[in-house]
Amino acid sequence: MNITMTIWKIKQSKLFRLLFGLIGNVLIVVMLFYLITMSIPYFFGLQQFTVLSDSMGKTIPYGSLVYVKAAKFGDVKADDIATFRSSKDPKKHFTHRIVSVDVKTMSFVTKGDAGIHNDPLPIDASRLVGKVATIIPFAGFPAAFFNNKSMLVIAALLISSWIATEAELFIKQKRKKGEPG
């Protein structure tokens, strides 16, 4: 028995088709979820961030997606949850609750809900990204997965091979029945 026949028999097995179909369907659902969660918020002027710490406790669990509406200093008040740029790396962000607003220094005192004490230093208003509009617990994991280019390539290859296998099986079944195509 040659290798081609062995591969064909594996592809025809019900377990292979069920497993491969399930993997393909799960990847398609995850990719659709990703496309929806990434594109729709932009129509409403929201930015998306994945929370990568436990500092907000049960309010915003690790791995959650937060959608942030751009805001200015006067748009936020104490008890709002806001996202800020890091002072060390402006490409990094964090999301905490505003404890107080200092109008004189144009700064905020913040605190993570899981913490006991306020953050050690006030945050300058220039670092404010915006106010959290929506929280989707744990949905940041698929977004983080697809934001990684190598994972996106792997997912695309898996879906492509799934489509190719399904097409090949469909054509072989039609030929077996004597139908053209």
Side-chain angles (χ1 to χ4, degrees), residues 146-166:
F146 285 110
N147 279 335
N148 181 329
K149 286 186 169 89
S150 59
M151 291 297 137
L152 193 57
V153 168
I154 289 170
L157 289 172
L158 282 171
I159 289 174
S160 298
S161 64
W162 172 71
I163 291 169
T165 301
E166 288 296 317

Side-chain angles (χ1 to χ4, degrees), residues 58-59 102:
K58 292 179 182 176
T59 308
D102 188 336

Side-chain angles (χ1 to χ4, degrees), residues 118-136:
N118 294 344
D119 294 334
L121 298 171
I123 299 168
D124 188 74
S126 65
R127 293 175 40 207
L128 175 67
V129 174
K131 185 176 172 180
V132 172
T134 304
I135 302 164
I136 305 177

Side-chain angles (χ1 to χ4, degrees), residues 24-88:
N25 288 336
V26 166
L27 280 172
I28 287 172
V29 167
V30 169
M31 287 185 80
L32 284 173
F33 172 79
Y34 171 74
L35 288 173
I36 290 168
T37 59
M38 289 299 287
S39 59
I40 290 178
Y42 289 110
F43 293 116
F44 297 103
L46 301 173
Q47 284 184 275
Q48 173 187 299
F49 297 95
T50 300
V51 175
L52 299 174
S53 81
D54 290 320
S55 67
M56 287 301 289
K58 292 179 182 176
T59 308
I60 308 175
Y62 178 90
S64 296
L65 278 182
V66 291
Y67 292 102
V68 177
K69 182 81 172 168
K72 295 178 184 166
F73 181 76
D75 298 335
V76 292
K77 61 188 183 320
D79 208 38
D80 285 345
I81 299 174
T83 298
F84 300 90
R85 278 183 276 302
S86 167
S87 61
K88 295 175 183 160

Side-chain angles (χ1 to χ4, degrees), residues 43 72 78 81 83 91-92 104 111 116 122 128 133 138 163 179:
F43 293 116
K72 295 178 184 166
I81 299 174
T83 298
K91 294 180 182 176
K92 293 188 178 185
K104 290 180 184 176
K111 174 181 156 326
I116 298 169
L128 175 67
F138 311 111
I163 291 169
E179 297 174 16

